[in-house]
Coordinates of all heavy atoms in Angstrom, one line a residue:
M1 N -6.1 10.4 -0.4 CA -5.6 9.7 -1.5 C -4.5 8.7 -1.1 O -3.7 9.1 -0.2 CB -5.1 10.6 -2.6 CG -4.4 9.9 -3.8 SD -5.5 8.9 -4.8 CE -6.5 10.1 -5.7
I2 N -4.5 7.6 -1.6 CA -3.6 6.5 -1.3 C -2.6 6.3 -2.5 O -3.2 6.1 -3.6 CB -4.1 5.2 -0.9 CG1 -4.9 5.4 0.5 CG2 -3.1 4.0 -0.7 CD1 -5.9 4.3 0.8
D3 N -1.3 6.4 -2.3 CA -0.4 6.0 -3.4 C 0.0 4.6 -3.2 O 0.4 4.2 -2.1 CB 0.9 6.8 -3.3 CG 0.8 8.3 -3.7 OD1 -0.3 8.6 -4.4 OD2 1.6 9.1 -3.3
L4 N -0.2 3.7 -4.2 CA 0.1 2.3 -4.1 C 1.3 2.1 -4.9 O 1.3 2.2 -6.2 CB -1.0 1.5 -4.6 CG -0.8 0.0 -4.9 CD1 -0.4 -0.7 -3.6 CD2 -2.0 -0.7 -5.5
H5 N 2.4 1.8 -4.2 CA 3.7 1.5 -4.9 C 3.6 0.0 -5.3 O 3.6 -0.8 -4.3 CB 4.8 1.9 -4.0 CG 4.9 3.3 -3.7 ND1 5.7 4.2 -4.4 CD2 4.2 4.0 -2.8 CE1 5.5 5.3 -4.0 NE2 4.6 5.4 -3.0
Y6 N 3.5 -0.3 -6.6 CA 3.1 -1.5 -7.0 C 3.7 -2.0 -8.3 O 4.3 -1.3 -9.1 CB 1.6 -1.3 -7.5 CG 0.9 -2.3 -8.2 CD1 0.2 -3.4 -7.5 CD2 0.8 -2.3 -9.6 CE1 -0.5 -4.4 -8.3 CE2 0.1 -3.3 -10.3 CZ -0.4 -4.4 -9.6 OH -1.1 -5.2 -10.4
W7 N 3.8 -3.3 -8.4 CA 4.2 -4.1 -9.6 C 3.3 -5.2 -9.6 O 2.9 -5.8 -8.6 CB 5.7 -4.5 -9.5 CG 6.3 -4.8 -10.8 CD1 6.7 -6.0 -11.3 CD2 6.4 -3.9 -11.9 NE1 7.1 -5.9 -12.6 CE2 6.9 -4.7 -13.0 CE3 6.2 -2.6 -12.2 CZ2 7.2 -4.1 -14.3 CZ3 6.4 -2.0 -13.4 CH2 7.0 -2.8 -14.4
P8 N 2.9 -5.7 -10.8 CA 1.9 -6.8 -10.9 C 2.5 -8.1 -10.4 O 2.8 -9.0 -11.3 CB 1.5 -6.8 -12.4 CG 2.7 -6.2 -13.1 CD 3.3 -5.2 -12.1
T9 N 2.3 -8.3 -9.1 CA 2.7 -9.5 -8.5 C 1.4 -10.1 -7.7 O 0.5 -9.3 -7.5 CB 3.9 -9.3 -7.4 OG1 3.3 -8.5 -6.4 CG2 5.1 -8.7 -8.2
P10 N 1.5 -11.3 -7.3 CA 0.3 -11.7 -6.5 C 0.0 -10.9 -5.3 O -1.2 -10.5 -5.0 CB 0.6 -13.2 -6.1 CG 1.6 -13.6 -7.2 CD 2.4 -12.4 -7.6
N11 N 1.0 -10.4 -4.6 CA 0.8 -9.6 -3.4 C 0.3 -8.3 -3.8 O -0.6 -7.7 -3.1 CB 2.1 -9.5 -2.5 CG 2.3 -10.7 -1.7 OD1 1.3 -11.4 -1.3 ND2 3.5 -11.1 -1.5
G12 N 0.8 -7.8 -4.9 CA 0.3 -6.5 -5.4 C -1.2 -6.5 -5.8 O -2.0 -5.6 -5.5
H13 N -1.6 -7.6 -6.4 CA -3.0 -7.8 -6.8 C -3.9 -7.9 -5.6 O -5.0 -7.3 -5.7 CB -3.2 -9.0 -7.7 CG -2.5 -9.0 -9.0 ND1 -2.6 -8.0 -9.8 CD2 -1.7 -9.9 -9.6 CE1 -1.9 -8.2 -10.9 NE2 -1.3 -9.4 -10.8
K14 N -3.5 -8.4 -4.5 CA -4.3 -8.4 -3.4 C -4.8 -7.0 -2.9 O -5.9 -6.7 -2.6 CB -3.6 -9.0 -2.1 CG -3.3 -10.4 -2.2 CD -2.4 -10.8 -0.9 CE -1.8 -12.1 -1.1 NZ -0.9 -12.4 0.1
I15 N -3.8 -6.1 -3.0 CA -4.1 -4.7 -2.6 C -5.0 -4.0 -3.6 O -6.0 -3.3 -3.2 CB -2.8 -3.9 -2.4 CG1 -1.9 -4.7 -1.5 CG2 -3.1 -2.5 -1.8 CD1 -2.5 -5.1 -0.2
T16 N -4.7 -4.1 -4.9 CA -5.5 -3.5 -5.9 C -7.0 -4.0 -5.8 O -8.0 -3.3 -5.9 CB -5.0 -3.6 -7.3 OG1 -4.8 -5.0 -7.6 CG2 -3.7 -2.9 -7.5
L17 N -7.2 -5.3 -5.6 CA -8.5 -5.9 -5.5 C -9.3 -5.3 -4.3 O -10.4 -4.9 -4.4 CB -8.4 -7.4 -5.4 CG -8.1 -8.1 -6.6 CD1 -7.8 -9.7 -6.3 CD2 -9.2 -8.1 -7.7
F18 N -8.5 -5.2 -3.1 CA -9.2 -4.6 -2.0 C -9.6 -3.2 -2.2 O -10.7 -2.8 -1.9 CB -8.3 -4.8 -0.8 CG -9.0 -4.3 0.5 CD1 -9.6 -5.3 1.3 CD2 -9.0 -3.0 0.9 CE1 -10.3 -4.8 2.5 CE2 -9.8 -2.6 2.0 CZ -10.3 -3.5 2.8
L19 N -8.6 -2.4 -2.7 CA -8.9 -0.9 -3.0 C -10.1 -0.8 -3.9 O -11.0 0.1 -3.7 CB -7.7 -0.3 -3.5 CG -6.6 -0.1 -2.6 CD1 -5.3 0.3 -3.3 CD2 -6.9 1.0 -1.6
E20 N -10.2 -1.6 -5.0 CA -11.3 -1.5 -5.9 C -12.6 -1.9 -5.2 O -13.6 -1.2 -5.3 CB -11.1 -2.3 -7.1 CG -10.0 -1.8 -8.1 CD -10.6 -0.6 -8.8 OE1 -11.7 -0.4 -9.1 OE2 -9.6 0.3 -9.0
E21 N -12.6 -2.9 -4.5 CA -13.8 -3.4 -3.9 C -14.3 -2.5 -2.8 O -15.5 -2.2 -2.6 CB -13.6 -4.8 -3.2 CG -13.5 -6.0 -4.3 CD -14.8 -6.1 -5.1 OE1 -15.9 -6.0 -4.5 OE2 -14.7 -6.5 -6.3
A22 N -13.4 -1.9 -2.0 CA -13.7 -0.9 -1.0 C -14.1 0.5 -1.5 O -14.7 1.3 -0.8 CB -12.6 -0.8 0.0
G23 N -13.7 0.7 -2.7 CA -14.0 2.0 -3.3 C -13.1 3.1 -2.7 O -13.5 4.3 -2.8
L24 N -11.9 2.8 -2.2 CA -11.0 3.8 -1.6 C -10.3 4.4 -2.8 O -9.8 3.7 -3.7 CB -10.1 3.1 -0.6 CG -10.8 2.7 0.6 CD1 -9.7 1.8 1.4 CD2 -11.3 3.8 1.4
P25 N -10.1 5.8 -2.8 CA -9.4 6.4 -3.9 C -7.8 6.1 -3.8 O -7.2 6.2 -2.7 CB -9.6 7.9 -3.6 CG -10.0 8.0 -2.2 CD -10.6 6.7 -1.8
Y26 N -7.2 5.8 -4.9 CA -5.8 5.5 -5.0 C -5.3 5.8 -6.3 O -5.9 6.0 -7.3 CB -5.5 4.1 -4.5 CG -5.9 3.0 -5.6 CD1 -5.0 2.5 -6.5 CD2 -7.3 2.7 -5.7 CE1 -5.4 1.5 -7.4 CE2 -7.7 1.6 -6.6 CZ -6.7 1.1 -7.5 OH -7.1 0.2 -8.4
R27 N -4.0 5.8 -6.4 CA -3.2 6.0 -7.6 C -2.1 4.9 -7.6 O -1.4 4.7 -6.5 CB -2.8 7.4 -7.9 CG -1.6 7.8 -7.2 CD -1.2 9.3 -7.6 NE 0.0 9.6 -6.8 CZ 1.2 9.8 -7.3 NH1 1.4 9.6 -8.6 NH2 2.2 10.1 -6.6
I28 N -1.7 4.4 -8.7 CA -0.7 3.4 -8.8 C 0.6 4.2 -9.1 O 0.7 5.0 -10.1 CB -1.0 2.3 -9.8 CG1 -2.1 1.4 -9.3 CG2 0.3 1.5 -10.1 CD1 -2.5 0.3 -10.2
V29 N 1.7 3.8 -8.3 CA 3.0 4.3 -8.6 C 3.8 3.0 -9.0 O 4.2 2.3 -8.1 CB 3.6 5.0 -7.3 CG1 5.0 5.5 -7.6 CG2 2.7 6.2 -6.9
P30 N 4.1 2.9 -10.2 CA 4.9 1.6 -10.6 C 6.3 1.6 -10.0 O 7.0 2.6 -10.0 CB 4.9 1.8 -12.1 CG 4.0 2.8 -12.5 CD 3.8 3.7 -11.3
V31 N 6.6 0.4 -9.6 CA 8.0 0.2 -9.1 C 8.4 -1.2 -9.8 O 8.0 -2.2 -9.5 CB 7.9 -0.1 -7.5 CG1 9.4 -0.4 -7.1 CG2 7.4 1.1 -6.8
D32 N 9.3 -1.0 -10.8 CA 9.7 -2.0 -11.7 C 10.7 -2.9 -11.0 O 11.9 -2.6 -11.0 CB 10.2 -1.5 -13.0 CG 10.5 -2.5 -14.1 OD1 10.5 -3.7 -13.7 OD2 10.6 -2.2 -15.2
I33 N 10.3 -4.0 -10.4 CA 11.2 -4.8 -9.7 C 12.2 -5.6 -10.6 O 13.2 -6.0 -10.2 CB 10.4 -5.8 -8.9 CG1 9.5 -6.8 -9.6 CG2 9.7 -5.1 -7.7 CD1 8.9 -7.8 -8.8
S34 N 11.9 -5.7 -12.0 CA 12.8 -6.3 -12.9 C 14.0 -5.4 -13.1 O 15.1 -5.9 -13.6 CB 12.1 -6.6 -14.2 OG 11.8 -5.4 -14.9
K35 N 13.9 -4.1 -12.8 CA 15.0 -3.2 -12.9 C 15.6 -2.8 -11.6 O 16.4 -1.9 -11.5 CB 14.6 -2.0 -13.7 CG 14.2 -2.2 -15.1 CD 13.7 -1.0 -15.9 CE 13.3 -1.3 -17.2 NZ 12.9 -0.2 -18.0
G36 N 15.1 -3.4 -10.5 CA 15.7 -3.2 -9.2 C 15.2 -1.9 -8.5 O 15.8 -1.3 -7.6
A37 N 14.0 -1.4 -9.0 CA 13.5 -0.1 -8.5 C 13.2 -0.2 -7.0 O 13.2 0.9 -6.3 CB 12.3 0.4 -9.3
Q38 N 13.0 -1.3 -6.4 CA 12.6 -1.5 -5.1 C 13.9 -1.2 -4.1 O 13.7 -1.2 -3.0 CB 12.0 -2.9 -4.8 CG 13.0 -4.1 -4.8 CD 13.2 -4.6 -6.2 OE1 13.1 -3.9 -7.2 NE2 13.5 -5.9 -6.2
F39 N 15.0 -1.1 -4.8 CA 16.2 -0.8 -4.0 C 16.6 0.7 -4.0 O 17.7 1.1 -3.5 CB 17.4 -1.7 -4.5 CG 17.1 -3.2 -4.3 CD1 16.8 -3.9 -5.5 CD2 17.1 -3.8 -3.1 CE1 16.6 -5.3 -5.4 CE2 16.9 -5.1 -3.0 CZ 16.6 -5.9 -4.1
E40 N 15.9 1.5 -4.8 CA 16.1 2.9 -4.8 C 15.8 3.6 -3.6 O 14.8 3.3 -2.9 CB 15.4 3.5 -6.0 CG 15.8 3.0 -7.4 CD 15.1 3.6 -8.5 OE1 14.2 4.5 -8.3 OE2 15.3 3.1 -9.7
P41 N 16.6 4.6 -3.2 CA 16.4 5.3 -1.9 C 15.0 5.9 -1.7 O 14.5 5.8 -0.6 CB 17.4 6.5 -2.0 CG 18.5 6.0 -2.9 CD 17.8 5.1 -3.9
D42 N 14.3 6.4 -2.8 CA 13.0 6.9 -2.6 C 12.0 5.8 -2.2 O 11.1 6.0 -1.3 CB 12.5 7.5 -3.8 CG 13.1 8.9 -4.1 OD1 13.8 9.5 -3.2 OD2 13.0 9.4 -5.3
F43 N 12.2 4.6 -2.7 CA 11.3 3.5 -2.3 C 11.6 3.0 -1.0 O 10.8 2.7 -0.2 CB 11.3 2.4 -3.4 CG 10.4 1.3 -3.1 CD1 9.0 1.4 -3.1 CD2 10.8 0.1 -2.5 CE1 8.1 0.4 -2.8 CE2 9.9 -1.0 -2.1 CZ 8.5 -0.7 -2.3
L44 N 12.9 3.0 -0.7 CA 13.4 2.4 0.7 C 12.9 3.3 1.8 O 12.8 2.9 2.9 CB 14.9 2.3 0.6 CG 15.4 1.1 -0.2 CD1 17.0 1.1 -0.2 CD2 14.9 -0.3 0.3
A45 N 12.6 4.6 1.5 CA 12.2 5.5 2.5 C 10.7 5.1 2.9 O 10.2 5.4 4.0 CB 12.2 7.0 2.0
I46 N 10.0 4.4 2.0 CA 8.6 4.0 2.2 C 8.6 2.5 2.7 O 7.8 2.3 3.6 CB 7.8 4.1 0.9 CG1 7.7 5.5 0.5 CG2 6.4 3.5 1.1 CD1 7.3 5.7 -1.0
S47 N 9.4 1.7 2.1 CA 9.5 0.3 2.6 C 10.9 -0.1 2.8 O 11.6 -0.5 1.8 CB 8.8 -0.5 1.4 OG 9.0 -1.9 1.7
P48 N 11.3 0.1 4.0 CA 12.8 -0.1 4.3 C 13.3 -1.5 4.1 O 14.5 -1.7 3.9 CB 12.9 0.3 5.8 CG 11.6 0.7 6.3 CD 10.6 0.6 5.2
N49 N 12.4 -2.5 4.0 CA 12.9 -3.8 3.7 C 12.8 -4.1 2.3 O 12.8 -5.3 1.9 CB 12.2 -4.8 4.6 CG 10.7 -4.9 4.3 OD1 10.2 -4.1 3.6 ND2 10.0 -5.9 4.9
N50 N 12.6 -3.1 1.4 CA 12.5 -3.2 0.0 C 11.4 -4.2 -0.5 O 11.5 -4.7 -1.6 CB 13.9 -3.4 -0.7 CG 14.4 -4.9 -0.5 OD1 13.7 -5.9 -0.7 ND2 15.6 -4.9 -0.1
R51 N 10.4 -4.4 0.2 CA 9.2 -5.4 -0.1 C 8.1 -4.6 -0.8 O 7.8 -3.5 -0.5 CB 8.8 -6.0 1.1 CG 9.8 -6.9 1.9 CD 10.2 -8.1 1.1 NE 9.0 -8.9 0.8 CZ 9.0 -10.2 1.1 NH1 10.0 -10.8 1.6 NH2 7.8 -10.9 0.8
M52 N 7.5 -5.3 -1.7 CA 6.4 -4.9 -2.5 C 5.2 -5.7 -2.1 O 5.3 -6.8 -1.8 CB 6.6 -5.0 -4.0 CG 7.7 -4.2 -4.5 SD 7.2 -2.7 -5.2 CE 6.0 -3.3 -6.3
P53 N 4.0 -5.0 -2.0 CA 3.7 -3.6 -2.3 C 3.9 -2.7 -1.1 O 4.2 -3.2 0.0 CB 2.2 -3.6 -2.7 CG 1.7 -4.7 -1.9 CD 2.8 -5.7 -1.8
A54 N 3.7 -1.5 -1.3 CA 3.7 -0.5 -0.2 C 2.8 0.6 -0.5 O 2.4 0.8 -1.7 CB 5.1 0.1 0.1
I55 N 2.2 1.3 0.5 CA 1.3 2.3 0.3 C 1.8 3.5 1.1 O 2.5 3.4 2.1 CB -0.2 2.0 0.7 CG1 -0.3 1.8 2.2 CG2 -0.7 0.8 -0.1 CD1 -1.7 1.8 2.7
V56 N 1.3 4.7 0.6 CA 1.4 5.9 1.4 C 0.1 6.5 1.5 O -0.5 6.8 0.4 CB 2.5 6.9 0.7 CG1 2.4 8.3 1.6 CG2 3.9 6.4 0.7
D57 N -0.5 6.6 2.7 CA -1.8 7.3 2.8 C -1.6 8.7 3.2 O -1.1 9.1 4.2 CB -2.5 6.5 4.0 CG -3.9 7.0 4.2 OD1 -4.4 7.9 3.5 OD2 -4.6 6.5 5.1
H58 N -2.0 9.6 2.3 CA -1.9 11.0 2.4 C -3.1 11.6 3.3 O -3.0 12.8 3.6 CB -1.9 11.7 1.0 CG -0.6 11.3 0.3 ND1 0.6 11.9 0.5 CD2 -0.4 10.4 -0.6 CE1 1.5 11.3 -0.2 NE2 0.9 10.4 -1.0
A59 N -4.0 10.8 3.7 CA -5.1 11.2 4.5 C -5.4 10.2 5.6 O -6.4 9.7 5.6 CB -6.3 11.5 3.7
P60 N -4.4 10.1 6.5 CA -4.6 9.1 7.6 C -5.7 9.5 8.5 O -6.1 10.8 8.6 CB -3.3 9.0 8.3 CG -2.6 10.3 8.0 CD -3.1 10.7 6.6
E61 N -6.3 8.6 9.2 CA -7.4 8.9 10.1 C -7.1 9.9 11.1 O -8.0 10.7 11.5 CB -7.9 7.6 10.8 CG -9.2 7.1 10.4 CD -9.7 5.9 11.3 OE1 -9.2 4.8 11.1 OE2 -10.5 6.2 12.2
D62 N -5.9 10.0 11.7 CA -5.6 10.9 12.7 C -5.3 12.3 12.1 O -5.1 13.2 12.9 CB -4.4 10.6 13.6 CG -3.1 10.4 12.8 OD1 -3.1 10.8 11.6 OD2 -2.1 9.9 13.4
G63 N -5.3 12.5 10.8 CA -5.1 13.8 10.2 C -3.7 14.2 10.2 O -3.4 15.4 9.8
G64 N -2.8 13.4 10.6 CA -1.4 13.7 10.6 C -0.6 13.6 9.4 O -1.3 13.6 8.3
A65 N 0.6 13.4 9.5 CA 1.5 13.3 8.3 C 1.2 12.0 7.5 O 0.6 11.1 8.1 CB 3.0 13.2 8.8
P66 N 1.5 12.0 6.3 CA 1.3 10.9 5.4 C 1.9 9.6 6.2 O 2.9 9.7 6.7 CB 2.0 11.1 4.1 CG 2.0 12.6 4.0 CD 2.1 13.1 5.5
Q67 N 1.1 8.5 6.0 CA 1.6 7.2 6.7 C 2.0 6.2 5.7 O 1.2 5.9 4.7 CB 0.4 6.7 7.5 CG 0.6 5.4 8.2 CD 1.6 5.5 9.3 OE1 1.5 6.4 10.1 NE2 2.5 4.6 9.3
S68 N 3.1 5.6 5.8 CA 3.6 4.5 5.0 C 3.3 3.2 5.6 O 3.5 3.0 6.8 CB 5.0 4.7 4.5 OG 5.9 4.5 5.6
V69 N 2.9 2.2 4.8 CA 2.6 0.9 5.3 C 3.1 -0.1 4.2 O 3.0 0.1 3.0 CB 1.1 0.6 5.5 CG1 1.0 -0.8 6.1 CG2 0.5 1.7 6.5
F70 N 3.9 -1.1 4.7 CA 4.4 -2.1 3.7 C 4.0 -3.5 4.2 O 3.7 -3.7 5.3 CB 5.9 -1.9 3.4 CG 6.8 -1.9 4.7 CD1 7.3 -3.0 5.2 CD2 6.9 -0.6 5.4 CE1 8.1 -2.9 6.4 CE2 7.7 -0.6 6.5 CZ 8.3 -1.7 7.0
E71 N 4.2 -4.5 3.3 CA 3.8 -5.9 3.4 C 2.3 -6.0 3.2 O 1.5 -5.3 3.9 CB 4.2 -6.5 4.9 CG 5.7 -6.5 5.1 CD 6.4 -7.5 4.4 OE1 5.8 -8.4 3.8 OE2 7.7 -7.5 4.4
S72 N 1.9 -6.9 2.4 CA 0.5 -6.9 1.9 C -0.5 -7.2 3.1 O -1.6 -6.6 3.1 CB 0.3 -8.0 0.8 OG 0.7 -9.3 1.3
G73 N -0.1 -8.1 4.0 CA -1.0 -8.3 5.2 C -1.2 -7.1 6.0 O -2.4 -6.8 6.4
A74 N -0.2 -6.4 6.3 CA -0.3 -5.2 7.1 C -1.1 -4.1 6.3 O -1.9 -3.4 6.9 CB 1.1 -4.6 7.4
I75 N -0.9 -4.0 5.0 CA -1.6 -3.1 4.2 C -3.1 -3.4 4.2 O -4.0 -2.5 4.4 CB -1.1 -3.0 2.8 CG1 0.3 -2.5 2.7 CG2 -2.0 -2.2 1.9 CD1 1.0 -2.6 1.4
L76 N -3.5 -4.7 4.1 CA -4.9 -5.0 4.1 C -5.6 -4.7 5.4 O -6.7 -4.2 5.4 CB -5.0 -6.5 3.8 CG -4.7 -6.9 2.3 CD1 -4.7 -8.4 2.2 CD2 -5.8 -6.2 1.4
L77 N -4.9 -5.0 6.6 CA -5.5 -4.6 7.9 C -5.6 -3.1 8.0 O -6.6 -2.7 8.5 CB -4.6 -5.2 9.0 CG -4.6 -6.6 9.2 CD1 -3.5 -7.1 10.2 CD2 -6.0 -7.1 9.8
Y78 N -4.6 -2.3 7.6 CA -4.6 -0.9 7.7 C -5.8 -0.4 6.8 O -6.6 0.5 7.3 CB -3.3 -0.3 7.1 CG -3.3 1.2 7.1 CD1 -3.0 1.9 8.3 CD2 -3.6 1.9 6.0 CE1 -2.9 3.3 8.3 CE2 -3.6 3.3 6.0 CZ -3.3 4.0 7.2 OH -3.3 5.4 7.2
L79 N -6.0 -0.8 5.6 CA -7.0 -0.3 4.7 C -8.4 -0.7 5.2 O -9.4 0.1 5.1 CB -6.9 -0.8 3.3 CG -5.6 -0.3 2.5 CD1 -5.5 -1.1 1.2 CD2 -5.7 1.2 2.4
A80 N -8.5 -1.9 5.8 CA -9.8 -2.4 6.3 C -10.2 -1.5 7.5 O -11.5 -1.3 7.7 CB -9.7 -3.9 6.7
A81 N -9.3 -1.0 8.2 CA -9.6 -0.1 9.4 C -10.0 1.3 9.0 O -10.6 2.0 9.8 CB -8.4 -0.2 10.4
K82 N -9.7 1.7 7.8 CA -10.0 3.1 7.4 C -11.5 3.2 7.3 O -12.2 2.2 6.8 CB -9.4 3.4 6.0 CG -7.9 3.7 6.2 CD -7.3 4.1 4.8 CE -7.8 5.5 4.3 NZ -7.3 6.6 5.2
P83 N -12.1 4.4 7.4 CA -13.5 4.5 7.2 C -13.8 4.3 5.7 O -13.1 4.7 4.8 CB -13.7 6.0 7.5 CG -12.6 6.4 8.5 CD -11.5 5.6 8.1
G84 N -14.8 3.4 5.5 CA -15.1 3.0 4.1 C -14.3 1.8 3.6 O -14.6 1.3 2.6
G85 N -13.3 1.3 4.4 CA -12.5 0.3 4.1 C -13.1 -1.1 4.2 O -12.9 -2.0 3.4
S86 N -14.0 -1.3 5.2 CA -14.7 -2.5 5.4 C -15.9 -2.3 6.3 O -16.0 -1.4 7.1 CB -13.7 -3.4 6.2 OG -14.3 -4.6 6.5
S87 N -16.9 -3.2 6.1 CA -18.0 -3.1 6.9 C -17.8 -4.0 8.2 O -18.7 -4.1 9.1 CB -19.3 -3.6 6.2 OG -19.1 -4.9 5.7
L88 N -16.7 -4.6 8.3 CA -16.4 -5.5 9.5 C -15.9 -4.6 10.6 O -15.2 -3.6 10.4 CB -15.3 -6.5 9.1 CG -15.7 -7.5 8.0 CD1 -14.4 -8.3 7.7 CD2 -16.8 -8.3 8.4
P89 N -16.2 -4.9 11.8 CA -15.7 -4.1 13.0 C -14.2 -4.5 13.3 O -13.9 -5.2 14.1 CB -16.6 -4.6 14.1 CG -17.0 -5.9 13.7 CD -17.0 -6.1 12.3
I90 N -13.3 -3.8 12.5 CA -11.9 -4.1 12.7 C -11.3 -2.9 13.4 O -11.5 -1.7 13.1 CB -11.3 -4.3 11.3 CG1 -11.8 -5.5 10.6 CG2 -9.8 -4.3 11.4 CD1 -11.4 -5.6 9.2
R91 N -10.4 -3.1 14.4 CA -9.6 -2.1 15.0 C -8.2 -2.5 15.0 O -7.9 -3.7 15.3 CB -10.1 -2.1 16.5 CG -11.6 -1.7 16.8 CD -11.8 -0.2 16.6 NE -13.2 0.1 16.9 CZ -14.0 0.4 15.9 NH1 -13.7 0.4 14.7 NH2 -15.2 0.7 16.2
V92 N -7.4 -1.6 14.7 CA -5.9 -1.8 14.6 C -5.3 -1.1 15.8 O -5.5 0.1 15.9 CB -5.3 -1.3 13.3 CG1 -3.8 -1.6 13.2 CG2 -6.0 -2.1 12.1
A93 N -4.5 -1.9 16.6 CA -3.8 -1.3 17.7 C -2.8 -0.3 17.3 O -2.1 -0.5 16.3 CB -3.3 -2.4 18.6
A94 N -2.7 0.8 18.0 CA -1.7 1.8 17.7 C -0.3 1.3 18.2 O 0.0 0.6 19.0 CB -2.0 3.1 18.2

């Protein structure tokens, strides 16, 4: 399961569209940027540069601890590399 820390912004929409099209399971965790929620310590632990959106993958490919990813471009690459994320032959360097 992927937690999507999200507010309805253009970058946030990129991620929800990809998750829906790929059929990857996720849940939305609202982060109200109009109230400064992106500056709260819990969110900064996931996205240290306070940028939206951010994800936490609770089932990373290596089976390890939950993985956080922030910045929409990085999230899209990460999700595309997950099994079921894309039919394209994408490899993300470790």
Side-chain angles (χ1 to χ4, degrees):
M1 174 67 71
I2 295 167
D3 289 342
L4 171 59
H5 297 262
Y6 168 89
W7 198 246
T9 64
N11 284 328
H13 292 313
K14 291 177 196 177
I15 308 307
T16 55
L17 287 168
F18 185 94
L19 287 165
E20 286 293 324
E21 289 296 323
L24 294 170
Y26 70 99
R27 74 180 182 106
I28 290 180
V29 179
V31 180
D32 188 344
I33 61 176
S34 69
K35 294 182 179 175
Q38 74 273 30
F39 300 108
E40 294 179 7
D42 287 345
F43 183 73
L44 291 173
I46 296 163
S47 179
N49 64 353
N50 68 52
R51 299 291 301 232
M52 294 267 304
I55 65 167
V56 177
D57 184 358
H58 294 279
E61 246 187 284
D62 66 4
Q67 176 70 48
S68 65
V69 183
F70 51 94
E71 299 285 348
S72 60
I75 294 169
L76 290 170
L77 286 171
Y78 178 85
L79 294 174
K82 284 185 71 67
S86 175
S87 60
L88 299 174
I90 296 173
R91 300 281 183 254
V92 178

